[in-house]
Amino acid sequence: MNNLFLIIKREYLSRIRRKSFIIMTFVTPLIFLAITVIPTIMLTQESMEERETLVLGDSAGYYTRALQGNPDYVFTEGNDIYFNETNPNKTFFAVINLPEQPENYPNNILLISENVIPTDMKRHIDTRLSEAASLKKLEKASPQSAQAYKECKVEVNSQSIKQYDPNGNSEQNETNTFVAIASAFLIYIFIFSYGTQVMRGVTEEKNNKIMEVMFLSSKPFQFITGKIIGIALVGLTQFLIWAGIAFFIFQFFSESTGAYTEFFSNFEMPKDPSIFIILLFFVLFFLAGYYLYASFFAIIGAMSEPGTDSQQFLMPVTVPIIFAIYAGIYATYQPESQLAVWCSYIPLTSPIVMMARLCHGIDLAEVLLSLGVLAACALFCAYLAGLVYKSAILLHGKKLTYEDLWRFIKG
Amino acid sequence: MFLYINNITKSFGTKTALKNVSFEIEKGSIVGLLGPNGAGKTTLIRSITGITQPDNGSILLNGNTIDDQERRKIGYLPEERGLYPEMKVGEQLLYLAQLKGMSKSEAKKECDFWLEKLQLTDRKSSRTNELSKGMQQKIQFISAVIHKPQFLILDEPFSGFDPINAETIKNEVLRLKGMGTTILLSTHDMGSVEELCDKVVLIHQAQIILDGPIDKIKEQYRNGSFIVRTTKTKEDKIQSPNFRIQSSTMKEDTIEWLIEKTNKEMDNNGFITELMQHFQIISIEEHLPSMNEIFLLKVKNDNSNIHE
């Protein structure tokens, strides 16, 4: 156990001290920034011109007039008849549906849109409608005193809902889908980025005769596991730094453009299952899935020579993971389909597909079974990787074939 | 016996790497493991270190089969050197020593001791790949001995060293022997074998063809040759039924002859009398074959026996 800790520590420290780690950790967020923030800002600027909102139920135009004043948003009073007859092809960014006497029913004001409603737009609408509703109420009150003003104060909190939402929970479903797909891609990116680091590390060490000495002090399984965990910690460190950088960037941009807050303001956490359960299982599937695939990468690394083409060995690992991504996306829409269910138990696909199904709420026993199968398979593969790793040293300088691999596993 | 190798056989597919190999090593001795390239030396070393398992036979260290615990008592310097190139020298040695079960403080103490001994203290914070090849060799040597192994396997330990550093390492090997470390020295450098080893084991084509103490082997292979130093002679052709001149080397005023006594019945006094008839002798001494000559003779004989 002590040796495993020493190996993890060496793998971790030797990697985070490299210049490449420092450069990549700080350059990658800039690249992401360039490919995500800039288009978003451009999109935000473009869409400003189109943000015309139709106000229904305000035949007197009182509330519509109150809403004007922000150059970014235009409000047009009208009704279904006006809308259909005057300009049937005209589209609106959103529709505000006011109840009768909105000042008395401020919580029944609906803000309907196919689009994501920007936070500052919603804030503008709520503030202006609150002021207008309060004034309206105050007009009817007598005598007009400070006490009456207090009593007449109306707080509007318009309900933002998506159009064409038969069940009224489309946001919930979309959030689930988003979480599922994001988890799947995160697992995929992590497995590939850091799994290939395991592969390269093993290849380098295999050709470095130090491993021949190392086997006098520790078991190959310990070396493989230590390397996999050490590199995973490097990856998690990098992700944490990125999360920190992202947090500050979002803070900065939300202050200046509102581009991200408008996205996150509409992001509602799934309620069933709870976000904590999802997060817990995400971490567990993430680690077990990475451990499994990293073991495969370690086997490939042990079979390769530096500078030689290891693509032929990469194929059997790449194909299942790409298939898992597709199956995962499918499972977000059809979580109970045969394909989704089977793929959520097969260890090669379960880290991604089970996450997709989990976000839609399935029996906990199913999740635990899938996780158990995955963990057992990952441990077995790491043991196997250790065997191949040790045996591959004997073949230093000779290209390893599938026949050799089979011989090692049998032997 | 400290190391007991009993009848081990190892094959890779159709190729036999070791065939019925048996020998023993006494505690505190240095044994030379000799053999031409591809003879099976590396497979034998790997069988001892546990990287490969013999198909048959057994290996006992201190009377025990070599498990994880026993394996930690072995120090190993492989022929093809390897260190973590980006690690600092001090960190690397600490890491390797701790993996062998040393406490951090003990490992630090030993690390400082060895770095000072091999004049590398100022390189403790350097990255390994910043060192010269010779310095890396020294670090590799330290990594093999830092945990005070009871049994040390050295595979070509002097290759790549200049004569001064080679001498330093030889002295350290002898010092370790003096402290009770048992050493298996695999090398092609016959000079160092004669200097350091108590016994040799010669492997050829997967089998042991020679095994024993160096002085006894030399005695066994003495062939009645003498090194005779004489003044210059005017005789053109020296011929005798009792001896044969194998070679001659001209020095400034003398000639050094290598002469084989062909008449085995003749005693040494008679042989010297015979020589005196042809030469003005300055000195004479018996020539014992070097380990290099014995190696060549044995391997060539073995090859011709196989071909016959």
Side-chain angles (χ1 to χ4, degrees):
Chain A
M1 203 60 193
N2 189 36
N3 279 9
L4 181 63
F5 172 73
L6 286 169
I7 296 162
I8 292 170
K9 189 177 153 196
R10 196 207 78 82
E11 292 291 340
Y12 178 74
L13 291 178
S14 68
R15 279 179 167 77
I16 60 162
R17 282 176 185 167
R18 284 181 191 165
K19 278 182 193 153
S20 57
F21 172 83
I22 297 163
I23 292 168
M24 284 314 292
T25 303
F26 292 100
V27 166
T28 308
L30 292 176
I31 296 169
F32 266 97
L33 192 68
I35 61 173
T36 57
V37 173
I38 294 169
T40 310
I41 292 169
M42 289 165 74
L43 216 62
T44 311
Q45 298 301 326
E46 268 178 28
S47 57
M48 283 299 183
E49 296 162 13
E50 297 163 15
R51 287 184 178 173
E52 185 176 355
T53 301
L54 184 68
V55 183
L56 297 177
D58 181 32
S59 50
Y62 170 75
Y63 286 101
T64 310
R65 281 193 298 280
L67 283 164
Q68 307 297 356
N70 187 328
D72 293 336
Y73 309 114
V74 176
F75 296 89
T76 307
E77 186 278 323
N79 53 47
D80 288 345
I81 297 160
Y82 162 86
F83 174 60
N84 289 330
E85 285 181 359
T86 54
N87 193 351
N89 294 325
K90 187 168 174 63
T91 58
F92 290 91
F93 180 76
V95 173
I96 298 172
N97 193 16
L98 299 173
E100 274 188 43
Q101 298 180 337
E103 59 276 12
N104 294 329
Y105 305 100
N107 291 330
N108 289 358
I109 296 170
L110 299 178
L111 183 54
I112 307 159
S113 176
E114 277 187 312
N115 306 297
V116 171
I117 305 286
T119 312
D120 62 335
M121 180 179 171
K122 187 173 181 300
R123 200 185 304 128
H124 170 80
I125 292 168
D126 288 351
T127 312
R128 291 299 177 89
L129 289 182
S130 298
E131 285 168 8
S134 301
L135 279 172
K136 190 90 174 170
K137 219 171 173 183
L138 193 61
E139 273 172 20
K140 292 176 187 169
S142 60
Q144 293 191 358
S145 61
Q147 181 61 29
Y149 183 79
K150 268 185 191 170
E151 282 169 7
C152 294
K153 192 164 170 53
V154 177
E155 287 282 344
V156 170
N157 186 15
S158 59
Q159 288 186 48
S160 170
I161 59 166
K162 289 262 176 103
Q163 219 170 5
Y164 312 124
D165 182 6
N167 303 321
N169 62 352
S170 67
E171 283 182 16
Q172 175 73 44
N173 283 340
E174 290 206 5
T175 305
N176 280 343
T177 306
F178 174 81
V179 170
I181 293 176
S183 312
F185 272 96
L186 203 59
I187 291 173
Y188 172 79
I189 290 168
F190 197 90
I191 284 173
F192 256 95
S193 308
Y194 300 99
T196 46
Q197 279 198 32
V198 171
M199 182 179 78
R200 275 199 301 276
V202 167
T203 307
E204 280 165 17
E205 270 182 4
K206 177 201 156 189
N207 290 281
N208 186 341
K209 282 287 171 171
I210 197 165
M211 289 321 293
E212 205 166 327
V213 179
M214 301 296 251
F215 288 141
L216 288 174
S217 53
S218 300
K219 290 180 187 304
F221 174 77
Q222 285 179 314
F223 280 108
I224 290 288
T225 303
K227 186 176 281 298
I228 290 172
I229 295 174
I231 291 175
L233 290 175
V234 172
L236 291 174
T237 306
Q238 212 157 28
F239 270 61
L240 275 176
I241 294 171
W242 288 340
I245 292 172
F247 177 76
F248 284 110
I249 289 173
F250 290 155
Q251 286 287 315
F252 174 75
F253 277 97
S254 62
E255 292 287 320
S256 58
T257 67
Y260 277 91
T261 44
E262 72 185 51
F263 173 75
F264 283 107
S265 67
N266 286 277
F267 185 88
E268 286 185 16
M269 287 299 173
K271 296 173 187 78
D272 185 28
S274 84
I275 189 67
F276 298 107
I277 299 276
I278 288 179
L279 268 177
L280 173 71
F281 280 109
F282 169 70
V283 171
L284 293 174
F285 272 102
F286 178 84
L287 293 177
Y290 162 76
Y291 191 38
L292 174 72
Y293 273 96
S295 301
F296 286 135
F297 279 113
I299 292 175
I300 296 169
M303 292 169 75
S304 311
E305 295 291 324
T308 59
D309 189 10
S310 51
Q311 290 301 316
Q312 57 157 334
F313 296 120
L314 267 180
M315 276 291 283
V317 183
T318 318
V319 171
I321 204 166
I322 290 174
F323 173 74
I325 285 279
Y326 282 107
I329 293 169
Y330 177 75
T332 58
Y333 298 105
Q334 299 288 336
E336 294 305 323
S337 64
Q338 286 270 319
L339 177 75
V341 171
W342 276 103
C343 287
S344 63
Y345 286 113
I346 298 168
L348 288 173
T349 51
S350 65
I352 291 173
V353 179
M354 189 47 102
M355 274 315 297
R357 291 188 64 211
L358 180 64
C359 291
H360 291 276
I362 57 163
D363 192 2
L364 191 65
E366 274 192 71
V367 186
L368 290 175
L369 178 64
S370 165
L371 188 63
V373 172
L374 175 63
C377 187
L379 276 171
F380 176 70
C381 286
Y383 173 74
L384 215 61
L387 280 185
V388 176
Y389 191 31
K390 185 179 170 186
S391 306
I393 285 175
L394 303 174
L395 289 164
H396 174 63
K398 178 182 175 288
K399 197 167 183 177
L400 200 68
T401 59
Y402 283 116
E403 288 78 41
D404 291 325
L405 181 66
W406 177 237
R407 196 153 50 82
F408 293 157
I409 292 167
K410 276 201 307 180
Chain B
M1 281 301 154
F2 183 72
L3 181 76
Y4 182 67
I5 294 179
N6 181 30
N7 209 25
I8 61 167
T9 298
K10 177 72 186 175
S11 300
F12 296 102
T14 54
K15 189 180 179 297
T16 304
L18 293 173
K19 192 176 172 188
N20 304 325
V21 169
S22 298
F23 68 94
E24 295 165 355
I25 300 182
E26 267 182 55
K27 189 165 173 55
S29 65
I30 303 181
V31 171
L33 180 63
L34 315 179
N37 296 329
K41 299 191 299 291
T42 306
T43 307
L44 177 62
I45 290 172
R46 284 175 171 171
S47 298
I48 298 169
T49 58
I51 286 179
T52 184
Q53 294 297 319
D55 302 331
N56 290 308
S58 59
I59 301 173
L60 301 178
L61 188 72
N62 249 340
N64 305 312
T65 51
I66 303 177
D67 56 9
D68 289 346
Q69 209 54 39
E70 290 295 319
R71 207 167 281 125
R72 285 187 171 196
K73 295 175 185 166
I74 301 175
Y76 177 32
L77 176 74
E79 183 182 4
E80 286 179 73
R81 317 286 194 245
L83 292 165
Y84 288 109
E86 290 180 7
M87 271 183 108
K88 289 179 180 172
V89 169
E91 286 176 1
Q92 178 136 229
L93 290 172
L94 273 187
Y95 173 63
L96 296 172
Q98 283 181 276
L99 280 181
K100 292 274 175 67
M102 275 187 135
S103 69
K104 196 171 182 180
S105 58
E106 200 184 353
K108 267 186 181 168
K109 201 175 123 197
E110 282 301 308
C111 174
D112 290 342
F113 167 80
W114 278 104
L115 287 176
E116 195 185 336
K117 196 135 191 76
L118 298 186
Q119 295 165 338
L120 288 167
T121 304
D122 57 335
R123 297 298 188 146
K124 192 177 175 182
S125 302
S126 303
R127 278 171 27 156
T128 310
N129 56 6
E130 291 167 353
L131 304 182
S132 69
K133 196 185 166 201
M135 285 179 183
Q136 288 189 29
Q137 297 266 68
K138 284 186 185 175
I139 302 296
Q140 186 95 48
F141 179 78
I142 298 174
S143 74
V145 298
I146 192 168
H147 64 292
K148 300 178 181 170
Q150 291 181 17
F151 181 46
L152 182 59
I153 302 172
L154 303 172
D155 198 352
E156 293 295 353
F158 312 113
S159 72
F161 277 126
D162 61 47
I164 293 172
N165 280 320
E167 194 60 30
T168 308
I169 298 296
K170 274 178 198 170
N171 289 337
E172 288 309 316
V173 170
L174 287 172
R175 194 177 65 83
L176 289 168
K177 181 197 170 189
M179 290 166 66
T181 310
T182 309
I183 299 165
L184 180 66
L185 172 68
S186 171
T187 182
H188 294 299
D189 174 11
M190 296 302 162
S192 61
V193 170
E194 299 206 30
E195 266 181 80
L196 303 172
C197 297
D198 303 301
K199 172 185 165 174
V200 292
V201 173
L202 174 58
I203 299 187
H204 184 226
Q205 297 189 334
Q207 287 177 294
I208 291 182
I209 56 170
L210 189 67
D211 174 13
I214 288 189
D215 47 0
K216 282 196 179 160
I217 288 174
K218 283 193 165 190
E219 191 70 28
Q220 191 185 332
Y221 283 85
R222 66 196 289 198
N223 61 355
S225 292
F226 292 83
I227 298 166
V228 183
R229 207 153 62 85
T230 68
T231 56
K232 287 191 175 172
T233 174
K234 289 178 182 170
E235 253 183 280
D236 286 341
K237 274 195 171 178
I238 300 169
Q239 278 186 327
S240 163
N242 297 320
F243 65 82
R244 183 164 57 88
I245 294 171
Q246 290 179 325
S247 65
S248 63
T249 315
M250 295 286 282
K251 300 281 166 91
E252 206 167 309
D253 295 320
T254 58
I255 306 177
E256 197 170 280
W257 310 83
L258 183 61
I259 301 172
E260 185 188 349
K261 188 175 74 174
T262 48
N263 182 358
K264 303 293 176 194
E265 303 298 314
M266 183 184 259
D267 64 12
N268 284 349
N269 283 349
F271 175 59
I272 292 168
T273 311
E274 173 85 22
L275 287 176
M276 285 165 67
Q277 292 172 15
H278 303 276
F279 304 103
Q280 276 294 115
I281 297 173
I282 297 170
S283 67
I284 182 164
E285 64 176 302
E286 187 180 7
H287 169 71
L288 286 175
S290 66
M291 280 314 297
N292 196 47
E293 288 167 313
I294 296 170
F295 179 93
L296 290 171
L297 183 75
K298 271 303 282 183
V299 171
K300 279 177 185 168
N301 280 350
D302 202 52
N303 278 340
S304 54
N305 287 344
I306 289 165
H307 290 131
E308 277 166 20

